[in-house]
Amino acid sequence: MLYFIHLLKLWLIQVRYAITRELAFRANFFAWVIVELAWFVLQLAFVGVVYQHVDSVAGWNRYEMIVLVATNQLIQQIFTAFLMPGLVKLPDLVRTGGLDFLLLKPAPPQFLVSTSSLEIGPLANAGIALIVVLSSLHSLAITPTLSATFTYLLLVLAGLFVHYALLLALVSFTFWIVQAESVLLGYYSIFQVARLPREATRGWFRVIFTFAIPLLLVANVPASVLLRNMKITPILLFLGTSLSAALLASLFFYLGLRRYQSASS
Amino acid sequence: MSSLLCALPTVFSIGLQRQLAYRWNYLLRALFSAVPLLVSWVFWEAVFQGKETVGRYTLAGLLTYYAVLLVVEAVSSPADDDFQISREIREGMLNPILLRPLPYGLYRGALFLSGRCAYLVAAFIPVLLCFFILSRVVHLELASFDILHGLPALFGSALLQFSLTLCLSLTSFWFLDISSLIFLVYSLEFLAGGHVFPLDLLPAPLFTAARLLPFAYEYWFPAAALCGTLSHREWQIGIGMQFAWAIFFLFLAHLLWKAGLRKYTAAGG
């Protein structure tokens, strides 16, 4: 228990440092908020264009689809704020031998790699995504109950685990291939699956992206909790698969770490 | 002039060797670039449930567009040229390049070309595989495939993307970090360039406005020209706009380079 408190203290120091750094480069902070917002607008514009031509896609109407897209954005932005900046630096650390400095520190390597860098800007966009979710629910005349809200937040956390598992697994490839910058493109490409309504998929695609890489559950399950009376089974399934995915990715990271040879002299 | 002509193949060769040294990176990039096609396929299949057409597209027509977009992307999209140029300026790595008897634009052009060739080699099989798999599921509308109109548009797209990348990267003379600017332009390219959906699905006034911007000529125009969905008149206007934008950005890059060099301070021996 004391060990976890120690890690929490370390993490809070990183957060404080990140806030200080962001405030030092305010123009950069606002520029990134605008960039992320532009990508969100792009997704909403796509929904707008599609629903100009149809009333429903796989049983999801326009506002329900916006709740799905915005929920995905909410999870992605929280992930981008707290975990992604550290993970994407791993390929560079491995190539240059900079990982040595992290390995010498008295904390688990996975924790240090994952939390070595933070960005506060995406949290502003997470807030915007939440506002979009709430305004779409208002348009649908839905007022979520307290238990639905609590379950939604819990499932957002589970979604973070899936994002984390996928990116950790992808960046861990850097222990085998020298230049692994394209894994970031891979992360963004694969995560487009999370914006699909699960009902739109079928066959092997649905099986793979539900059980092997549970991307179809990341935004679908939390959104469905708000929009529909969801049964407990898919919620438990999602919680289970997200935890399993994170554990498997962690094992893969440590497997790769055993191959690490310092690049420094 | 002759020394210049001798230097360019050498720069191209060095660039190609550098790119192929990281072939796994390229292969992964090519594989991952096919994922959005898969997602589009699944999503649009659901949209087309009970409908024959959306806008003027059938499902097969729309999937053909997305598949052709993969080819356009492989041929004309810069990889990380923008970040490379930015790093060269920011970290003072321009010094050895400035000493060479080679204009910087041509030097970067040769490297861009080598990058595209390396990517094409890596992407060839994944793209071919995408076409094969799609053609087994839907009847791709490749009968109207128009190579005669498509190739110049493809070349124009590469020139436009290269010149725009050059302009963006050269702002590094003034700004410490331009990654936010680069990603902002990426988002505009994706939306207004027809990467997320064909631009002719937009309402008419927005479609007209999009065709006035350079982004439409990066992806939508070459893809539509290759698919053979443009009339000869539309193609003529499009190719004119495409090359006009490319020349404008090349000229702007020249001005930025001149102004930037006056500001550039090289440190180190």
Side-chain angles (χ1 to χ4, degrees):
Chain A
M1 188 63 192
L2 276 174
Y3 188 60
F4 281 107
I5 293 172
H6 167 68
L7 292 183
L8 184 68
K9 276 182 184 168
L10 275 179
W11 185 73
L12 286 173
I13 292 168
Q14 311 255 42
V15 172
R16 203 171 58 203
Y17 169 68
I19 293 171
T20 315
R21 197 188 52 215
E22 296 273 327
L23 290 176
F25 300 104
R26 281 184 289 274
N28 194 51
F29 169 84
F30 287 114
W32 276 108
V33 170
I34 292 167
V35 169
E36 292 291 347
L37 193 61
W39 283 98
F40 186 37
V41 169
L42 187 150
Q43 292 168 34
L44 294 179
F46 178 62
V47 173
V49 167
V50 169
Y51 281 90
Q52 274 224 319
H53 300 276
V54 291
D55 297 323
S56 151
V57 178
W60 292 66
N61 68 30
R62 179 192 292 258
Y63 289 110
E64 287 172 341
M65 188 65 84
I66 293 175
V67 170
L68 178 72
V69 170
T71 299
N72 186 53
Q73 172 79 355
L74 172 71
I75 298 168
Q76 189 155 28
Q77 290 301 310
I78 298 173
F79 178 66
T80 307
F82 293 118
L83 294 162
M84 193 173 165
L87 289 178
V88 296
K89 285 185 179 149
L90 184 65
D92 240 11
L93 289 174
V94 171
R95 200 174 56 234
T96 59
L99 191 62
D100 295 7
F101 298 106
L102 287 188
L103 294 177
L104 287 172
K105 288 180 182 171
Q110 190 188 334
F111 171 80
L112 288 172
V113 166
S114 312
T115 61
S116 63
S117 208
L118 296 124
E119 284 173 15
I120 307 301
L123 287 181
N125 282 309
I128 293 170
L130 197 59
I131 291 168
V132 172
V133 169
L134 293 173
S135 91
S136 299
L137 288 176
H138 179 72
S139 302
L140 289 162
I142 293 174
T143 312
T145 60
L146 196 65
S147 69
T149 309
F150 175 75
T151 314
Y152 178 78
L153 294 175
L154 182 71
L155 293 170
V156 164
L157 189 69
L160 281 174
F161 272 94
V162 178
H163 272 263
Y164 178 71
L166 185 75
L167 191 59
L168 179 66
L170 283 172
V171 292
S172 296
F173 274 109
T174 197
F175 293 113
W176 284 271
I177 51 173
V178 184
Q179 196 181 26
E181 271 76 17
S182 57
V183 295
L184 194 58
L185 174 77
Y187 164 77
Y188 281 119
S189 300
I190 294 175
F191 252 93
Q192 293 190 18
V193 174
R195 289 199 296 267
L196 289 171
R198 192 164 173 265
E199 291 78 0
T201 62
R202 57 193 162 86
W204 60 267
F205 187 94
R206 181 185 276 211
V207 173
I208 288 176
F209 288 110
T210 301
F211 297 104
I213 316 169
L215 298 182
L216 277 174
L217 306 177
V218 170
N220 271 269
V221 179
S224 299
V225 162
L226 292 180
L227 297 168
R228 301 170 181 125
N229 290 325
M230 203 171 199
K231 288 177 186 160
I232 192 78
T233 320
I235 294 173
L236 290 178
L237 173 75
F238 180 41
L239 290 173
T241 47
S242 60
L243 278 174
S244 314
L247 281 173
L248 282 173
S250 177
L251 285 176
F252 188 59
F253 169 79
Y254 280 104
L255 189 72
L257 193 61
R258 285 166 63 182
R259 283 179 56 90
Y260 175 67
Q261 290 170 314
S262 169
S264 56
S265 55
Chain B
M1 187 65 189
S2 63
S3 63
L4 187 75
L5 289 176
C6 289
L8 282 179
T10 312
V11 174
F12 175 83
S13 166
I14 292 169
L16 197 62
Q17 286 171 44
R18 199 188 293 165
Q19 304 287 352
L20 288 176
Y22 301 121
R23 50 197 173 275
W24 271 105
N25 193 43
Y26 268 78
L27 190 66
L28 278 179
R29 196 183 161 93
L31 280 173
F32 286 137
S33 68
V35 176
L37 175 68
L38 184 66
V39 174
S40 302
W41 174 9
V42 171
F43 184 78
W44 284 105
E45 210 172 44
V47 173
F48 273 89
Q49 283 293 324
K51 277 180 88 85
E52 277 295 307
T53 57
V54 168
R56 60 171 198 76
Y57 286 91
T58 59
L59 178 61
L62 205 60
L63 291 179
T64 307
Y65 174 83
Y66 283 113
V68 169
L69 213 54
L70 277 184
V71 178
V72 175
E73 205 177 358
V75 173
S76 63
S77 290
D80 61 342
D81 299 58
D82 33 22
F83 288 104
Q84 279 180 27
I85 299 171
S86 175
R87 205 165 39 240
E88 279 174 358
I89 296 170
R90 206 179 52 242
E91 295 175 7
M93 286 151 64
L94 271 187
N95 306 2
I97 302 167
L98 288 173
L99 291 173
R100 291 175 196 164
L102 188 66
Y104 186 70
L106 278 180
Y107 166 74
R108 288 308 322 182
L111 288 180
F112 170 73
L113 204 63
S114 65
R116 289 303 80 214
C117 288
Y119 187 69
L120 271 177
V121 170
F124 184 72
I125 292 173
V127 169
L128 210 63
L129 205 63
C130 279
F131 271 89
F132 175 73
I133 294 170
L134 269 183
S135 64
R136 305 283 290 183
V137 187
V138 288
H139 182 70
L140 289 178
E141 293 178 359
L142 294 173
S144 51
F145 200 71
D146 190 348
I147 203 91
L148 207 67
H149 285 122
L151 273 183
L154 214 49
F155 172 73
S157 165
L159 189 68
L160 177 58
Q161 297 208 40
F162 170 70
S163 57
L164 182 58
T165 298
L166 206 55
C167 280
L168 284 175
S169 321
L170 291 177
T171 55
S172 291
F173 281 118
W174 293 271
F175 302 110
L176 193 64
D177 183 8
I178 60 156
S179 47
S180 53
L181 180 68
I182 290 172
F183 280 104
L184 187 66
V185 175
Y186 277 174
S187 67
L188 287 172
E189 282 173 335
F190 264 64
L191 181 63
H195 211 286
V196 185
F197 51 83
L199 291 180
D200 36 4
L201 281 182
L202 284 169
L206 284 178
F207 180 45
T208 309
R211 275 181 300 173
L212 294 173
L213 300 172
F215 310 114
Y217 303 97
E218 293 185 64
Y219 297 109
W220 172 77
F221 175 69
L226 277 169
C227 289
T229 53
L230 298 174
S231 68
H232 186 64
R233 179 85 189 125
E234 284 171 329
W235 180 82
Q236 279 178 325
I237 295 169
I239 204 91
M241 287 291 287
Q242 190 183 45
F243 277 85
W245 274 116
I247 291 164
F248 167 76
F249 283 122
L250 282 176
F251 181 65
L252 187 64
H254 177 72
L255 293 180
L256 287 170
W257 173 253
K258 289 268 179 203
L261 272 192
R262 279 197 289 273
K263 203 179 163 358
Y264 179 67
T265 314

